[in-house]
Amino acid sequence: MFGRVKKWFGIEGTKIRLHVLPSYPRNVKTINGEIEIYSKRPERVLAIKLKFIEVYTRGRGEDKRIDEFLLGTWEYNKPIEVSDGNPHMLFFKLEFNPVESAMDKRAGKGPLLRGVVNMMKSMKGVQSDYRIEAEAIVEDNTWNPLAKARILFD
């Protein structure tokens, strides 16, 4: 009975881990990496889903606004058998389309404008954070394992 309770809560069940580079150049259009899937007991993973998300923050204090943009997705829909001591590695290539603000478009028109735009962005508290979220759909699990990785752009 205790085993069923642990399975229901996702304790000692299937786990996933993302292996990606911590930073990428600004002009890249794909994120490459690996997903490590492991478990202490035999389980069946039905699918893996990845999302690449931008969290766009602007303003300060009470005027602070936050938006999230889904930049790209990747899915693997073939069943994977995971057993004790045998992690499964899965390579992915996640393509995405970056969202450019009006300020970013102006900054791309030359080095002089880039400096002015960067100064304006810092004054207004504009910031973008990027992350990859991975979810494994596990057979007969109530809660699916999740993993997140932060991505920085140079």
Side-chain angles (χ1 to χ4, degrees):
M1 175 163 163
F2 191 63
R4 271 191 258 149
V5 172
K6 288 197 311 191
K7 184 171 182 166
W8 191 79
F9 280 111
I11 300 169
E12 292 187 6
T14 302
K15 307 282 187 225
I16 58 174
R17 188 177 302 147
L18 284 167
H19 299 281
V20 293
L21 293 174
S23 66
Y24 290 86
R26 278 255 169 233
N27 60 353
V28 73
K29 300 290 184 201
T30 61
I31 303 289
N32 299 332
E34 287 184 327
I35 303 167
E36 180 181 2
I37 309 160
Y38 57 96
S39 179
K40 290 189 175 183
R41 59 190 156 147
E43 291 198 298
R44 184 178 169 104
V45 177
L46 303 175
I48 305 285
K49 297 180 181 183
L50 289 180
K51 294 180 194 175
F52 187 50
I53 299 168
E54 175 184 7
V55 180
Y56 183 70
T57 308
R58 63 218 176 275
R60 299 184 193 283
E62 291 181 14
D63 296 329
K64 189 173 195 173
R65 295 189 327 201
I66 300 171
D67 290 316
E68 284 195 4
F69 299 103
L70 181 63
L71 303 180
T73 60
W74 182 87
E75 288 188 28
Y76 185 82
N77 292 315
K78 296 178 186 171
I80 302 168
E81 300 294 333
V82 183
S83 61
D84 184 27
N86 293 324
H88 187 85
M89 300 298 281
L90 188 65
F91 177 79
F92 69 87
K93 185 174 184 177
L94 190 144
E95 296 179 8
F96 66 94
N97 295 317
V99 177
E100 280 192 331
S101 68
M103 291 175 78
D104 291 332
K105 289 177 184 174
R106 285 189 195 108
K109 293 185 178 181
L112 182 60
L113 280 175
R114 188 175 310 123
V116 171
V117 167
N118 287 340
M119 184 178 69
M120 289 175 59
K121 286 171 89 172
S122 67
M123 288 173 47
K124 292 189 178 225
V126 174
Q127 181 179 354
S128 287
D129 292 314
Y130 300 90
R131 73 176 183 268
I132 293 179
E133 293 181 355
E135 178 182 16
I137 310 301
V138 181
E139 189 173 63
D140 297 332
N141 262 20
T142 305
W143 291 319
N144 295 319
L146 298 170
K148 295 180 183 180
R150 188 171 182 208
I151 302 292
L152 300 173
F153 287 102
D154 298 334

